[in-house]
């Protein structure tokens, strides 16, 4: 996907170039129009602690429904991604490569140059209303997290979920963000009219590892609180135990502790996923590994010598261990990258004297 496909028509097509750097005036536009097209993109920075060092490129998208390539391993065909780039800054994130499509850096640039599709709810509502749309399942959070910090300011997800709910369109969300609880009432309402699935990503509990490998995310324990709270409100939530990081979070005692905590949270399912290192992510992760765990570099080079994925024997071993632990603790597996579907229930009829507002996650 090239930049011009993310933006509305401007006076001339976008050309390769360099985006504006952090530190620009809060309401300034990108100084170099070569990449973005000056009429299509507004670049902002916010002088607040949670957004310091982050630049937001606000675009007006033509389309937000993205078809998944046929060769993909994903069990869904359509996605919505209101953001590109992610302040979670997970060093292993496979989506880093997508920033290179926009001539943006896949390292620190991926963490700090965030593309925001500010009109995503309106465009999605229009696309869902099209006679050509068949009501297929829509997955969110599959590229970058739709509940990253930027969502606290831009608040795109309530409108997106409202559009999906109004059309009774099935959807799923995968997140590491606790901000999803802001939209709890919308999720409950959505589950009354369509199939939804919620999954939270928690790969391990190790605090020291979390602080270096996932520095912009909520702590694993806080993410498990999300699972518990969703369950208490009748919204079943699975856990994608991802990534299991070879030689750092894969010891039997570590796997047991993680699965036990997942079970205690009330998760409906647990699905392990071993770290994979695609181009873009691989270089960034290996640089991190060299700084923090240099003794593991050669082991990783051997383990991932054949490509982005760990050997099948290793993946099968981890999957077997986690599934055995899940059965022991009373929870079950689900397909990799899938989420649990919540069957809709008949909504309560509104009180005669009170109008109701349709709100969704």
């Amino acid at each position: 996907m090239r930049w011009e496909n993310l933006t509305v028509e401007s006076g001339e097509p976008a050309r390769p170039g360099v985006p504006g750097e952090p530190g620009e005036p809060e309401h300034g536009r990108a100084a170099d129009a070569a990449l973005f097209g000056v009429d299509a993109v507004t670049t902002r920075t916010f002088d607040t602690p949670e957004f310091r060092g982050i630049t937001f490129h606000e675009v007006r998208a033509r389309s937000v429904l993205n078809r998944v390539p046929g060769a993909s391993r994903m069990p869904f065909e359509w996605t919505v991604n209101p953001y590109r780039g992610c302040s979670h800054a997970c060093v292993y994130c496979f989506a880093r490569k997508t920033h290179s499509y926009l001539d943006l850096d896949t390292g620190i640039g991926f963490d700090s140059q965030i593309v925001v599709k500010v009109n995503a709810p309106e465009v999605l509502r229009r696309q869902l209303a099209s006679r050509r749309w068949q009501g297929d399942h829509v997955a969110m959070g599959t590229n970058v997290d739709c509940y990253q910090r930027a969502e606290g300011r831009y608040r795109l997800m309530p409108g997106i979920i409202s559009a999906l709910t109004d059309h009774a369109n099935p959807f799923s969300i995968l997140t590491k963000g606790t901000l999803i609880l802001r939209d709890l009432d919308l999720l409950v309402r959505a589950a009354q009219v369509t199939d939804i699935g919620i999954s939270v990503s928690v790969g391990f509990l190790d605090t020291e590892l979390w602080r270096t490998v996932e520095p912009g995310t909520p702590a694993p324990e806080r993410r498990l609180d999300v699972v518990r709270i969703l369950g208490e409100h009748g919204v079943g939530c699975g856990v994608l135990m991802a990534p299991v990081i070879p030689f750092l979070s894969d010891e039997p005692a570590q796997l047991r502790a993680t699965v036990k905590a997942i079970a205690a949270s009330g998760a409906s399912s647990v699905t392990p996923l071993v770290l994979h290192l695609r181009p873009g992510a691989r270089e960034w992760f290996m640089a991190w590994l060299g700084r923090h765990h240099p003794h593991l570099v050669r082991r990783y080079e051997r383990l991932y010598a054949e490509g982005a994925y760990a050997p099948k024997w290793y993946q099968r071993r981890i999957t077997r261990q986690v599934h055995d632990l899940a059965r022991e603790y009373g929870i079950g597996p689900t397909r990799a990258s899938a989420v649990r579907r919540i069957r809709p229930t008949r909504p309560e009829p509104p009180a005669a004297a009170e109008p109701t507002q349709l709100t969704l996650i």
Side-chain angles (χ1 to χ4, degrees):
M1 183 184 299
R2 296 293 176 179
W3 183 265
E4 54 266 31
N5 295 327
L6 294 177
T7 60
V8 296
E9 296 283 356
S10 57
E12 57 183 358
R15 300 177 300 277
V18 180
E21 293 292 329
E24 290 184 314
E26 177 175 339
H27 298 292
R29 286 188 177 271
D32 188 342
L35 176 61
F36 302 126
V38 69
D39 294 331
V41 181
T42 299
T43 297
R44 302 184 190 274
T45 60
F46 302 103
D47 190 20
T48 56
E50 67 270 29
F51 297 125
R52 192 160 294 138
I54 299 178
T55 298
F56 297 98
H57 303 289
E58 299 176 356
V59 306
R60 299 193 62 79
R62 296 176 186 168
S63 171
V64 295
L65 281 168
N66 310 302
R67 185 184 285 275
V68 177
S72 172
R73 300 185 178 191
M74 296 298 100
F76 42 79
E77 293 186 22
W78 295 93
T79 65
V80 167
N81 296 296
Y83 303 98
R84 298 280 294 267
C86 186
S87 59
H88 283 345
C90 301
V91 298
Y92 52 76
C93 183
F94 73 89
R96 289 183 175 277
K97 180 66 174 178
T98 63
H99 246 38
S100 69
Y101 304 157
L102 307 178
D103 289 337
L104 292 172
D105 173 54
T106 60
I108 193 65
F110 180 83
D111 305 337
S112 62
Q113 302 277 339
I114 311 300
V115 177
V116 185
K117 302 176 188 177
V118 293
N119 62 337
E122 296 80 21
V123 174
L124 177 61
R125 186 173 291 277
R126 184 177 69 244
Q127 291 187 281
L128 294 176
S130 170
R131 286 178 294 179
R132 292 180 295 177
W133 177 248
Q134 299 299 307
D136 295 327
H137 181 94
V138 173
M140 292 173 282
T142 60
N143 187 44
V144 301
D145 204 318
C146 49
Y147 283 105
Q148 60 177 287
R149 274 178 281 167
E151 173 61 16
R153 174 171 289 273
Y154 287 97
R155 299 182 64 87
L156 300 179
M157 286 302 292
I160 288 171
I161 297 168
S162 294
L164 289 162
T165 303
D166 288 351
H167 288 273
N169 202 106
F171 65 88
S172 59
I173 297 173
L174 171 64
T175 185
K176 288 186 174 78
T178 56
L179 187 58
I180 191 174
L181 293 178
R182 178 201 64 193
D183 296 338
L184 178 57
D185 290 346
L186 300 178
L187 289 169
V188 171
R189 178 70 181 96
Q192 293 175 340
V193 300
T194 190
D195 290 347
I196 74 170
I198 310 297
S199 189
V200 170
S201 177
V202 182
F204 48 84
L205 301 181
D206 187 305
T207 300
E208 183 177 353
L209 181 61
W210 157 65
R211 285 175 174 162
T212 59
V213 81
E214 300 172 342
T217 65
E221 292 82 2
R222 291 185 59 205
R223 287 178 245 161
L224 291 177
D225 286 341
V226 169
V227 178
R228 176 180 54 80
I229 293 169
L230 288 172
E232 289 173 351
H233 287 79
V235 180
C237 183
V239 170
L240 185 64
M241 190 170 160
V244 175
I245 305 179
F247 318 125
L248 291 173
S249 69
D250 64 347
E251 290 294 324
Q254 293 174 303
L255 297 177
R256 174 174 289 277
T258 302
V259 174
K260 181 178 181 180
I262 290 170
S265 74
S268 59
S269 63
V270 57
T271 303
L273 191 65
V274 172
L275 175 74
H276 57 277
L277 297 173
R278 300 182 191 176
R282 186 185 187 109
E283 297 82 355
W284 194 245
F285 178 86
M286 292 301 291
W288 171 86
L289 192 70
R291 292 192 302 273
H292 292 272
H293 305 281
H295 62 290
L296 293 179
V297 170
R298 291 296 299 275
R299 296 182 74 181
Y300 265 79
E301 289 173 346
R302 290 193 295 269
L303 190 66
Y304 289 88
E306 300 300 318
Y309 293 88
K312 291 291 186 182
W313 64 264
Y314 180 86
Q315 295 184 53
R316 285 193 291 266
R317 190 187 80 189
I318 295 299
T319 298
R320 182 175 61 252
Q321 288 179 283
V322 170
H323 286 179
D324 287 347
L325 289 166
R327 283 189 291 271
E328 179 180 340
Y329 288 109
I331 53 178
T334 188
R335 297 194 315 275
S337 304
V339 291
R340 177 178 178 268
R341 289 288 188 87
I342 303 169
R343 298 303 308 176
T345 59
R346 185 178 300 276
E348 292 292 329
E354 290 187 21
T356 58
Q357 181 179 359
L358 191 63
T359 56
L360 328 191
I361 82 171

